[in-house]
Amino acid sequence: MNIENLKNKALKNERLSVEEIFFLIQQLRNKNKQEIYKAADEVREKFMGNLIYLRGIIEFSNYCRKSCDYCGINSKVKDVKRYRIDEDEILKACHELKRNGQTTVVLQSGEDLFWTKEKMGSLIERIKKETDLAITISVGEREEDVYLYWKQCGMDRYLIRFETSNKEVFEKIHPDDNYEERIECIKTLKRIGVQTGSGFMIGLPFTDDWDIARDIDFCRELDLDMIGIGPFIANPLTPLKDNGVKHDIDFITGIISILRLANPMAHIPATTAFDVVLDHEGRQLALKRGANVFMPNSTPQKYRIDYQLYPDKPCVDESAGDCANCVVGRILSIGREIGKGPGHSIKTINN
Ligand code: SAM
Ligand code: FES
């Protein structure tokens, strides 16, 4: 087993085994980081090209019915001011992000049942009609008929991370959630033809490198269209406040590289949490090491302070326009271009 062979497998889109993925993680821990980054960049270029797609994220409600042990907006956290952005203000933010060159809106919230099947459906219809943006929804676990209805209203994609593929750990850190039900949501979305994104956190308590290898392989097994991963960052307001680890940016961006080698045809965003580990540079490094999507924060500025899943979240003081400009600069600085189309899944739909 060596990195060159595994890269050649990836270039043919052959599935790596869990043992091969684990081997790559050990190489990353030891000495061969640069070779892994380079291999991933080559595979990214072959399958995904040089374009970076912008998906503007609007965090439209921080109400949540769940109490995930790591999350700063979970229902038990008292020190957070709860908000919901109304439909008109969401539409305004969508128009603005479109003007800023972003071709997808990602509507994300806690698990907030105020946004019923019908309310969410009419919001999706309105966004599609007024802006024609690609629409990604990320509001947690719902029934199949709800996902189907939203698809009919114009939803293109859905993001719902499995968080960890280790069932025991999942259940330990999700006091009111069920592993099988969460996985079922992901499978349902795939089955009904919604472009499906999922992923996991790196460095959750009670996990090791074998868990990371299995998480990466699980993304392949699920045949995901998009894969969002990021470092777990301990939040002092949550039960896991003392379980944080000090992340090494070269290791966690290397995990992006291995994710790319194991999933050549998936869209992989450089997620915000990489910037927590290396301020203003983490996301560029992820893009240089296998990622191909950037998700600028397009939430109206006044709400950002109250959507802190973890401490030191970047861009809290910036406006949507500030982030839009900053992002363009960051992408051009690494010699890549911005995608003008919607950047749909290359597995299902042509761009
Ligand atoms: N409620 C929706 C759901 O359950 O999918 C979407 C919102 S949820 C807050 C978005 C993601 O934030 C989670 O899937 C989780 O991976 C990530 N997250 C939450 N707390 C985090 C933390 N302390 N460190 C890193 N990522 C975190
Ligand atoms: Fe928000 Fe740079 S991405 S300020």
Side-chain angles (χ1 to χ4, degrees):
M1 216 185 284
N2 64 46
I3 298 173
E4 182 70 16
N5 289 344
L6 298 180
K7 180 189 82 178
N8 288 335
K9 266 183 103 168
L11 286 168
K12 287 185 266 170
N13 196 21
E14 282 172 19
R15 183 170 174 175
L16 307 186
S17 67
V18 177
E19 289 71 25
E20 287 169 334
I21 296 170
F22 182 77
F23 165 81
L24 290 171
I25 297 173
Q26 297 320 296
Q27 294 299 302
L28 200 60
R29 290 239 182 251
N30 298 333
K31 51 190 179 305
N32 288 326
K33 295 188 180 72
Q34 296 303 332
E35 202 182 336
I36 293 178
Y37 301 153
K38 235 174 123 257
D41 204 41
E42 197 180 325
V43 171
R44 183 269 309 155
E45 192 174 356
K46 171 169 178 185
F47 289 91
M48 311 307 284
N50 274 323
L51 299 178
I52 290 175
Y53 289 99
L54 300 181
R55 329 257 204 228
I57 179 161
I58 302 176
E59 298 146 338
F60 70 102
S61 161
N62 69 351
Y63 281 87
C64 193
R65 63 179 162 146
K66 295 261 170 82
S67 49
C68 309
D69 277 354
Y70 44 83
C71 183
I73 59 167
N74 88 55
S75 62
K76 301 232 166 63
V77 179
K78 296 288 166 248
D79 294 345
V80 63
K81 198 171 114 219
R82 302 285 166 174
Y83 71 86
R84 286 188 187 104
I85 307 184
D86 71 28
E87 198 174 299
D88 287 340
E89 204 174 351
I90 295 173
L91 258 296
K92 202 167 148 232
C94 290
H95 284 289
E96 183 178 356
L97 72 86
K98 186 175 174 177
R99 276 196 304 277
N100 288 331
Q102 297 159 27
T103 49
T104 294
V105 59
V106 181
L107 293 175
Q108 192 183 82
S109 70
E111 292 214 4
D112 180 8
L113 295 183
F114 167 89
W115 285 96
T116 57
K117 171 179 172 180
E118 292 74 22
K119 275 205 192 92
M120 206 63 214
S122 80
L123 174 65
I124 293 167
E125 273 173 350
R126 207 176 142 197
I127 294 175
K128 202 47 138 192
K129 188 154 157 256
E130 286 188 27
T131 69
D132 201 31
L133 286 163
I135 301 173
T136 304
I137 303 295
S138 177
V139 302
E141 294 167 39
R142 297 285 178 114
E143 298 296 324
E144 176 168 347
D145 70 296
V146 178
Y147 290 149
L148 248 180
Y149 179 68
W150 292 347
K151 182 178 184 231
Q152 284 152 9
C153 291
M155 171 176 88
D156 300 280
R157 312 185 192 126
Y158 204 92
L159 292 181
I160 177 165
R161 289 185 178 178
F162 56 81
E163 316 295 2
T164 169
S165 60
N166 182 323
K167 177 171 155 39
E168 235 168 77
V169 174
F170 184 97
E171 279 166 6
K172 219 186 245 183
I173 64 179
H174 295 97
D176 46 17
D177 215 338
N178 176 292
Y179 180 74
E180 275 85 19
E181 280 171 22
R182 188 132 181 122
I183 303 305
E184 207 38 53
C185 287
I186 300 169
K187 292 187 173 163
T188 300
L189 286 157
K190 280 282 319 175
R191 180 164 42 76
I192 65 173
V194 175
Q195 297 170 55
T196 305
S198 188
F200 58 91
M201 281 178 273
I202 308 165
L204 279 172
F206 327 114
T207 62
D208 60 19
D209 286 353
W210 277 108
D211 288 300
I212 302 179
R214 282 188 286 264
D215 288 346
I216 292 174
D217 180 59
F218 193 45
C219 293
R220 176 76 180 225
E221 184 180 325
L222 291 168
D223 191 22
L224 298 172
D225 299 289
M226 298 98 68
I227 309 173
I229 69 169
F232 159 64
I233 296 162
N235 187 323
L237 302 177
T238 64
L240 293 182
K241 60 178 186 297
D242 298 322
N243 294 78
V245 288
K246 192 166 169 11
H247 288 286
D248 169 5
I249 192 72
D250 286 333
F251 179 74
I252 61 172
T253 50
I255 295 299
I256 287 274
S257 300
I258 299 171
L259 186 70
R260 168 60 70 204
L261 294 172
N263 297 274
M265 291 175 70
H267 284 295
I268 298 182
T271 57
T272 315
F274 284 90
D275 270 18
V276 179
V277 178
L278 189 63
D279 190 26
H280 254 80
E281 279 181 58
R283 282 186 275 183
Q284 276 104 298
L285 280 181
L287 290 171
K288 291 207 268 192
R289 296 172 178 176
N292 72 316
V293 167
F294 200 110
M295 295 168 73
N297 193 330
S298 300
T299 308
Q301 197 267 330
K302 67 178 180 210
Y303 301 106
R304 295 185 181 196
I305 186 87
D306 298 312
Y307 201 87
Q308 298 213 55
L309 310 177
Y310 42 77
D312 303 322
K313 190 167 167 225
C315 309
V316 166
D317 297 325
E318 276 77 17
S319 69
D322 293 335
C323 283
N325 289 332
C326 169
V327 164
V328 173
R330 292 172 80 163
I331 290 172
L332 298 181
S333 80
I334 58 165
R336 302 262 282 279
E337 285 170 54
I338 293 170
K340 302 256 187 295
H344 285 309
S345 171
I346 65 164
K347 297 183 181 186
T348 49
I349 298 172
N350 285 328
N351 288 285

